[in-house]
Amino acid sequence: MNGPPAVELVDLRKSFGDLVVLDGLTMRVATGGVHALLGQNGAGKTTTVRILATLTRPDSGSARVAGHDVVRERRRVRRTISLAGQHAALDDGQTGAENLTMLARLSGLSGPAARDRAGTLLERFDLTDAAGRRVVTYSGGMRRRLDLAASLVGTPSVIFLDEPTTGLDLRSRQGLWEVIGELAGAGVTVLLTTQYLEEADQLADRITVLHHGGLAAEGTAAELKSRFGAQRLELAWRDAAGFAEAERRLGDRLTHRDPARLALSVATDGSGPQVRSLLDEVDPDRHGVVRFNVREATLDDVFLTLTGQPVTPEREVANV
């Protein structure tokens, strides 16, 4: 990492009653680019973002954004950051232009400057044609774009996006991906929480995986796939008896099992000799396997290896 980090957490801890949400989390986010924060429901993603945005105080440990302590220097942190949460924070009764102009005025701009800033953002986020419409008439994708525009009324150096594309259709998600890429290209540091692994794969320069409130792994998507994913040999079985026997033989080497489809998968280096050896091991009489496939690792495989569970795009438990 070159230069000071945009975000730095050291031994961060946070509990809600008996529920431990963050358990000694330490991580650094480089300045510039997109950094994705992944984790299963309740892993602590939203709590991490809320602490960094000065909305929640940690129990212990330290957190700094752009060099400022989130507890002792809250005002400086808030002047540096912007936050787009899981739900768009907009006034449905106002138009898109009115929402942005109001926020620009609240940030200290004069009337003419606020209107100019609103117009610039509406154009940047492809909302000019809808500028005069009340937000209640906007589609989900339009609302998320307006919410992102609102988060850039100021000039933040760090922006937190907490599951910004949840609930959007694929086309709207891809549109927001383009916008997020443009933000990073303009020099803004983007910390993105998401449960869509494809999103992290497409957008993130680096990825951090949280598990049980701590750091499970971090690196680029390619590094994580290489270290934790390996390739997968996927096997489909003729009958339940063969499936059960193969499951017994492979034991904890299994990376995935689907009894309904009589399908198993196991890690492999992808070489012919190892694939042949695995097939001979699990199907020595060559009558049980009806088909097999070798594929490259995905972030889903990485996540499954690190946490023992697949990611599902659901709301986080108690917003933690």
Side-chain angles (χ1 to χ4, degrees):
M1 181 182 294
N2 298 320
V7 172
E8 185 173 27
L9 310 178
V10 178
D11 198 25
L12 202 66
R13 299 178 186 276
K14 181 66 180 179
S15 298
F16 296 99
D18 294 332
L19 177 63
V20 178
V21 180
L22 297 178
D23 190 14
L25 177 61
T26 295
M27 60 178 272
R28 302 177 81 203
V29 175
T31 299
V34 179
H35 192 109
L37 195 60
L38 304 181
Q40 190 53 266
N41 291 340
K45 303 188 301 297
T46 293
T47 297
T48 299
V49 169
R50 288 182 62 82
I51 288 173
L52 292 172
T54 76
L55 299 176
T56 299
R57 292 175 68 97
D59 295 334
S60 63
S62 65
R64 303 178 72 86
V65 178
H68 305 305
D69 187 276
V70 300
V71 175
R72 297 192 302 270
E73 302 174 278
R74 294 175 66 195
R75 290 187 178 180
R76 287 191 174 185
V77 171
R78 290 180 176 183
R79 286 197 293 266
T80 301
I81 67 169
S82 187
L83 168 66
Q86 294 178 4
H87 304 285
L90 303 167
D91 184 341
D92 284 347
Q94 294 191 26
T95 67
E98 288 169 343
N99 266 275
L100 297 184
T101 301
M102 175 187 67
L103 291 171
R105 291 300 305 273
L106 290 173
S107 71
L109 295 181
S110 66
R115 288 189 291 274
D116 287 344
R117 182 64 176 157
T120 298
L121 289 169
L122 288 165
E123 182 177 0
R124 180 177 183 182
F125 286 85
D126 195 25
L127 290 168
T128 302
D129 291 343
R133 287 168 44 193
R134 289 197 302 160
V135 173
V136 72
T137 68
Y138 282 20
S139 67
M142 293 169 66
R143 290 174 65 88
R144 294 309 284 163
R145 293 205 307 275
L146 183 63
D147 197 38
L148 279 180
S151 70
L152 294 173
V153 163
T155 54
S157 61
V158 181
I159 181 169
F160 302 116
L161 303 180
D162 193 13
E163 301 192 25
T165 62
T166 296
L168 298 185
D169 59 54
L170 180 59
R171 183 174 181 180
S172 296
R173 285 173 58 203
Q174 290 175 335
L176 278 183
W177 291 355
E178 293 179 6
V179 170
I180 292 168
E182 291 172 3
L183 292 177
V188 177
T189 301
V190 179
L191 181 61
L192 168 76
T193 76
T194 181
Q195 293 190 53
Y196 295 113
L197 298 185
E198 180 190 8
E199 190 161 88
D201 211 351
Q202 289 278 342
L203 293 176
D205 301 293
R206 290 188 70 79
I207 296 169
T208 294
V209 181
L210 296 185
H211 188 48
H212 293 321
L215 179 67
E218 65 178 347
T220 66
E223 288 169 348
L224 292 175
K225 291 173 188 176
S226 175
R227 286 161 54 197
F228 301 104
Q231 296 187 60
R232 294 292 187 268
L233 172 62
E234 298 178 330
L235 305 165
W237 293 85
R238 186 179 308 279
D239 54 45
F243 172 87
E245 176 61 18
E247 188 177 22
R248 185 191 66 77
R249 288 175 181 267
L250 292 171
D252 59 9
R253 288 178 291 166
L254 282 173
T255 59
H256 181 69
R257 57 185 300 277
D258 185 347
R261 295 176 52 244
L262 298 180
L264 300 172
S265 66
V266 61
T268 174
D269 62 12
S271 67
Q274 192 190 49
V275 170
R276 185 178 297 109
S277 175
L278 283 168
L279 287 170
D280 288 341
E281 177 186 356
V282 298
D283 188 20
D285 62 5
R286 301 188 180 185
H287 294 305
V289 175
V290 293
R291 62 181 177 277
F292 70 91
N293 178 52
V294 177
R295 64 168 176 79
E296 296 294 325
T298 66
L299 281 182
D300 294 77
D301 298 321
V302 172
F303 200 89
L304 195 62
T305 299
L306 290 170
T307 70
Q309 300 178 44
V311 162
T312 53
E314 301 169 355
R315 298 272 51 78
E316 286 197 275
V317 178
N319 287 325
V320 297

